[in-house]
Amino acid sequence: MKLAVVEGDGIGKEVIPAAIEVMDALALPVEKVPVELGYGKWERTGSAITDDDLETLKECDCILFGAITTPPDPAYKSVLLTIRKELDMYANIRPIKPIDGIVGVTGRNDFNLVIVRENTEGMYSGIEEIHEDVAYTKRVITRKGSKRIAEYACKLAKSRQNRVEIVHKSNVLKSDRLFLDVCRQTASSHDVEYHDTLVDSMAYNLITHPNRYDVIVTTNLFGDILSDMAAALVGGLGLVPSANIGEKHAFFEPVHGSAPDIAGKGIANPIAAILSMKMMLEWFKLTDQAKLIQDAMEYAINQNWVTPDLGGKATTKEVGQVIAGRVKQLIG
Ligand code: ATP
């Protein structure tokens, strides 16, 4: 397996090495290809990502990605959006599942849902006009884009509880009528139970009744916001992994950003990055190895090897070392 490793900026440089240490404990035949991208590179070279970088990413089997700081330059083009579009990774998958030993803001642990977010269009179309007194961003919803994300959500639902919640704002946004119609038709043709909710109601329901949902499918911006909210259910941004999946490429990253406020202090929680690496193993159908990672992570948490965001005293490096050590022990 040829893996592009993008640490990026800020805490990405801390949590990705921890995730790699854990992966290395599995002793898999992985060729790691480091790729430098992001704000640091932009400051040094004037470019946050080059065509050559994109080629390297495309040549790898998949990408493990940390986080990138957005430079304060209006001309700057988002690295993440560029990668998602160039590699056509249309599905952003964020599993929201309680972790044994950690309590989220609501105190409940009776939920297990996945947010499936359309990743290439919607409000992040990149079609914008900026004038002095007015600015426009074009929200693009296509039948093709809606269909393929709906298909993804339905296939995922089939492997779970066979239920899809379609989240939209079609009472106000005409573009969402297309999204809603396509999702309904797709769910119906796949024989998947479906229901729909307005995004504002969903924001409320997600906190009050997270146990109602199995697979949530939604458009780009709504998915972005709801999944950060949902991270609070689990116990924080440092815990939630994600995958960006396309027909040919896949890219795994923690949901959190580069967290400049804690970067360099060695206290970032590496669990989201480690779980992202675990999602990568699952994508490669290495389910036994993925299970080992889960067990080793739960062991570290139960032994209170946790970072300050979870009330512990451990450093990022220590958490990585303990989990990697436990993986080696379990392998025997
Ligand atoms: P960016 O601009 O790159 O998105 P940000 O600071 O605006 O960075 P996040 O990095 O997503 O946004 O996180 C918001 C806050 O949550 C951080 O400032 C940090 O305090 C906390 N946080 C995020 N990730 C972690 C983590 N892995 N461990 C501990 N705290 C975290």
Side-chain angles (χ1 to χ4, degrees):
M1 168 198 335
K2 196 165 166 187
L3 171 66
V5 180
V6 181
E7 293 182 357
D9 301 305
I11 63 170
K13 291 190 183 308
E14 300 162 48
V15 297
I16 292 299
I20 292 291
E21 180 167 1
V22 175
M23 183 185 77
D24 285 348
L26 292 166
L28 295 167
V30 180
E31 182 193 343
K32 286 169 274 184
V33 181
V35 184
E36 188 200 357
L37 305 176
Y39 188 26
K41 177 169 177 153
W42 178 82
E43 276 188 315
R44 226 168 22 78
T45 66
S47 172
I49 182 166
T50 62
D51 290 345
D52 282 352
D53 295 330
L54 278 171
E55 277 317 303
T56 308
L57 296 179
K58 285 180 188 170
E59 281 162 15
C60 289
D61 294 313
C62 68
I63 306 162
L64 184 63
F65 185 96
I68 277 182
T69 305
T70 302
D73 175 350
Y76 174 82
K77 201 171 157 212
S78 163
V79 168
L80 263 180
L81 293 194
T82 305
I83 298 175
R84 284 177 186 159
K85 278 204 167 164
E86 286 287 328
L87 277 66
D88 198 25
M89 290 180 295
Y90 63 91
N92 186 296
I93 314 301
R94 300 187 174 188
I96 304 291
K97 195 175 162 185
I99 296 177
D100 263 4
I102 298 176
V103 182
V105 287
T106 58
R108 47 196 300 173
N109 65 356
D110 60 343
F111 56 89
N112 178 355
L113 58 99
V114 181
I115 299 181
V116 174
R117 157 188 170 197
E118 202 296 321
N119 226 5
T120 56
E121 47 184 46
M123 210 58 170
Y124 296 171
S125 67
I127 306 170
E128 305 197 291
E129 260 184 60
I130 316 290
H131 305 286
E132 196 173 335
D133 297 318
V134 62
Y136 303 96
T137 298
K138 198 166 190 171
R139 185 175 195 269
V140 178
I141 302 289
T142 66
R143 183 173 294 280
K144 178 180 167 227
S146 305
K147 175 91 180 151
R148 66 181 181 174
I149 198 70
E151 295 268 359
Y152 194 100
C154 290
K155 284 185 188 144
L156 180 63
K158 285 261 173 217
S159 69
R160 295 171 50 94
Q161 292 173 34
N162 206 38
R163 285 188 288 122
V164 166
E165 191 73 32
I166 308 160
V167 177
H168 60 96
K169 189 71 185 173
S170 70
N171 56 343
V172 178
L173 301 173
K174 292 200 170 63
S175 51
D176 258 3
R177 289 192 196 157
L178 176 59
F179 181 76
L180 178 58
D181 284 348
V182 173
C183 286
R184 280 177 172 156
Q185 286 158 13
T186 309
S188 175
S189 68
H190 281 268
D191 220 4
V192 169
E193 198 185 310
Y194 63 92
H195 182 259
D196 71 274
T197 306
L198 293 171
V199 63
D200 39 348
S201 298
M202 189 65 200
Y204 181 81
N205 291 345
L206 202 51
I207 297 299
T208 54
H209 298 96
N211 55 333
R212 277 187 195 163
Y213 305 105
D214 179 22
V215 173
I216 294 173
V217 64
T218 190
T219 53
N220 210 337
L221 176 63
F222 296 162
D224 194 8
I225 297 169
L226 291 177
S227 48
D228 267 29
M229 256 184 71
L233 289 171
V234 181
L237 281 170
L239 299 169
V240 185
S242 77
N244 296 271
I245 309 276
E247 299 300 339
K248 292 198 196 122
H249 302 281
F251 166 113
F252 301 85
E253 57 167 337
V255 163
H256 62 73
S258 63
D261 57 330
I262 56 165
K265 296 185 179 159
I267 55 167
N269 190 341
I271 288 180
I274 292 168
L275 290 178
S276 302
M277 184 270 294
K278 182 193 152 205
M279 286 182 84
M280 179 183 88
L281 298 176
E282 285 164 343
W283 189 71
F284 278 109
K285 308 240 182 309
L286 296 168
T287 32
D288 292 345
Q289 289 85 343
K291 170 89 172 51
L292 278 177
I293 303 289
Q294 180 74 26
D295 292 348
M297 180 200 70
E298 286 173 6
Y299 165 84
I301 292 167
N302 287 331
Q303 298 289 315
N304 210 26
W305 283 103
V306 292
T307 44
D309 55 312
L310 298 179
K313 290 203 174 93
T315 62
T316 313
K317 219 177 161 87
E318 284 168 339
V319 175
Q321 282 166 347
V322 170
I323 299 178
R326 183 65 177 170
V327 167
K328 286 182 189 158
Q329 252 181 18
L330 291 171
I331 292 174

